[in-house]
Amino acid sequence: MKAEVQDMISQKIAKTVNSNLYNPEFNVTKLSEIVAMDRVTLYRFLKRVNNCTPHEFIEHSRFEYAKELLRNENNKIKDVAVDAGFADNRHFSTRFKKKYGMTPRAYRYAI
């Protein structure tokens, strides 16, 4: 695959994910529909280009956005979770701690 085409596809995937971060119902199936790739092709593409699965890519993007939101102390943790597309605050906190080794609250005070 040519680099220009690969970059164009990567940008479309990233733009689609970033446009849907707030939506807890946004998942790999919806991503594959929007970018017009079947799930297997999407999986192979992201594994090759980003060394992650589509689910990991979506979750990583959500966590990066959540980390930005956590920088503002006026944002409540539960609101950050919802704004980053996590339907459940506990799930967000559990996954965040697993990924970063600290709770969202601890992260907020560490930065």
Side-chain angles (χ1 to χ4, degrees), residues 17-32:
V17 170
N18 289 332
S19 297
N20 288 281
L21 288 177
Y22 67 91
N23 182 357
E25 306 217 352
F26 182 73
N27 57 25
V28 176
T29 301
K30 291 188 178 163
L31 174 60
S32 68

Side-chain angles (χ1 to χ4, degrees), residues 13 18 25 38 43 49 52 58 65 74-76 82 108:
I13 291 169
N18 289 332
E25 306 217 352
D38 65 55
Y43 177 91
V49 173
C52 66
I58 293 169
Y65 182 59
N74 294 327
N75 292 333
K76 296 178 181 179
V82 169
R108 170 178 277 163

Side-chain angles (χ1 to χ4, degrees), residues 53-104:
T53 67
H55 176 77
E56 291 167 342
F57 186 80
I58 293 169
E59 187 174 70
H60 174 77
S61 298
R62 284 185 166 146
F63 280 133
E64 288 301 308
Y65 182 59
K67 285 171 32 180
E68 286 179 36
L69 295 174
L70 286 168
R71 288 189 175 100
N72 181 343
E73 290 185 20
N74 294 327
N75 292 333
K76 296 178 181 179
I77 304 289
K78 66 180 181 178
D79 294 337
V80 169
V82 169
D83 290 348
F86 291 89
D88 180 288
N89 184 37
R90 280 190 186 165
H91 178 70
F92 167 69
S93 293
T94 301
R95 298 293 301 156
F96 192 97
K97 185 174 183 179
K98 183 175 181 181
K99 184 169 181 81
Y100 298 109
M102 63 179 80
T103 65

Side-chain angles (χ1 to χ4, degrees), residues 43-54:
Y43 177 91
R44 288 180 182 153
F45 179 83
L46 283 173
K47 243 346 209 181
R48 185 178 68 249
V49 173
N50 293 66
N51 197 30
C52 66
T53 67

